[in-house]
Amino acid sequence: MTIITEEDVESYLYQHPKFFNNHADLLAAMEIPHERGDAVSLVERQLSVLREENQRLQSQFGELVNIAKENEGLNQRIQGILLNLAQANSLEELFDNLYETLHAEFKTDAITVRLFEVSENHEREEFVEYDAQVFHLFESILSGSHTVCGQLEAAQKDYLFAEQDITSAVLIPLGAPKARGILAMGSQEISRFHSGMSTDLLKYMGELIGQLLQLWLRH
């Protein structure tokens, strides 16, 4: 086996001065010690900036990959939920399937559905009147069809998860273009639902679930 010495490397680089032009990634990974105290040469500074930029880009790329993986998994779960709901043969079965699949797919500690319209044909706790209390607690969410993640206000928690130890939740408007209700999923873990979560797919799920509910309410 041929042993390459430092002199061989030095000689090669002298003979090929444009070597690093074609291997910028190697240049970015190299570390050059500062042997002159606090003094930093222009080349050393350029290398430092290049390495920092490389690390930042690698970190951003890693975050994007993780977000893409999370969204792909969430999209698959939502498709499974909607497929299950579409197979229901009655409104009661639709609600049963909804609670069962949401618990299974999102591993939540509590689920509450509130539809703000009175149904003469269905006497279920999900159907409530849109009164002053509802307007005060959820108007900003319903009017803008905003999905909200994080910690709830005390009054919102009492309304949706009375006597339950819920510390974080996601509130999803049901229906589109005008929301007619709220789907709330709560967790006992404070970090389970947080404000930094992506909500686009959850909003889409709420729109489709709201449409399925409306189809059964017309029967």
Side-chain angles (χ1 to χ4, degrees):
M1 181 179 66
T2 303
I3 299 177
I4 300 176
T5 65
E6 291 184 5
E7 289 76 15
D8 293 330
V9 175
E10 181 179 8
S11 176
Y12 180 86
L13 292 177
Y14 271 117
Q15 296 175 26
H16 302 82
K18 296 183 179 180
F19 174 80
F20 286 109
N21 290 347
N22 301 323
H23 299 82
D25 55 337
L26 177 61
L27 185 62
M30 293 179 62
E31 294 185 3
I32 302 177
H34 299 165
E35 298 179 349
R36 298 184 297 280
D38 295 332
V40 179
S41 70
L42 177 60
V43 173
E44 289 174 314
R45 178 57 183 164
Q46 289 175 331
L47 289 175
S48 175
V49 171
L50 184 58
R51 284 195 297 271
E52 291 175 359
E53 179 68 11
N54 186 44
Q55 292 175 355
R56 184 182 67 82
L57 291 175
Q58 289 181 358
S59 176
Q60 288 182 343
F61 179 74
E63 292 177 0
L64 290 175
V65 170
N66 290 334
I67 291 174
K69 289 181 178 178
E70 290 177 358
N71 285 342
E72 181 180 1
L74 178 57
N75 185 46
Q76 292 177 351
R77 280 184 288 170
I78 289 176
Q79 289 182 20
I81 291 170
L82 295 174
L83 179 61
N84 196 334
L85 296 181
Q87 296 174 349
N89 295 312
S90 66
L91 183 63
E92 285 67 29
E93 185 176 348
L94 178 64
F95 277 116
D96 291 342
N97 290 352
L98 177 62
Y99 293 129
E100 180 180 349
T101 53
L102 288 179
H103 274 300
E105 296 296 338
F106 288 97
K107 305 297 187 296
T108 58
D109 296 309
I111 298 172
T112 299
V113 173
R114 290 293 179 263
L115 298 172
F116 303 123
E117 52 187 291
V118 177
S119 174
E120 298 179 356
N121 300 323
H122 305 282
E123 295 182 359
R124 294 183 59 102
E125 65 178 357
E126 288 87 358
F127 297 97
V128 296
E129 292 187 19
Y130 186 85
D131 55 17
Q133 182 183 21
V134 172
F135 178 87
H136 177 72
L137 294 177
F138 305 111
E139 176 61 17
S140 61
I141 299 172
L142 295 171
S143 61
S145 293
H146 299 306
T147 297
V148 177
C149 294
Q151 299 181 46
L152 301 180
E153 298 176 2
Q156 291 176 328
K157 175 182 174 298
D158 290 341
Y159 183 89
L160 295 170
F161 305 109
E163 300 180 1
Q164 298 184 68
D165 186 21
I166 298 301
T167 57
S168 67
V170 53
L171 305 185
I172 306 172
L174 293 176
K178 179 176 177 57
R180 298 174 178 271
I182 285 181
L183 165 62
M185 295 188 289
S187 174
Q188 296 177 358
E189 298 180 17
I190 195 169
S191 60
R192 176 65 177 84
F193 299 108
H194 54 85
S195 58
M197 294 179 62
S198 176
T199 60
D200 290 342
L201 290 176
L202 293 176
K203 178 182 177 182
Y204 175 67
M205 180 182 74
E207 292 175 357
L208 294 182
I209 291 176
Q211 291 176 13
L212 286 173
L213 287 168
Q214 286 301 313
L215 288 175
W216 280 108
L217 288 177
R218 296 191 189 108
H219 288 182

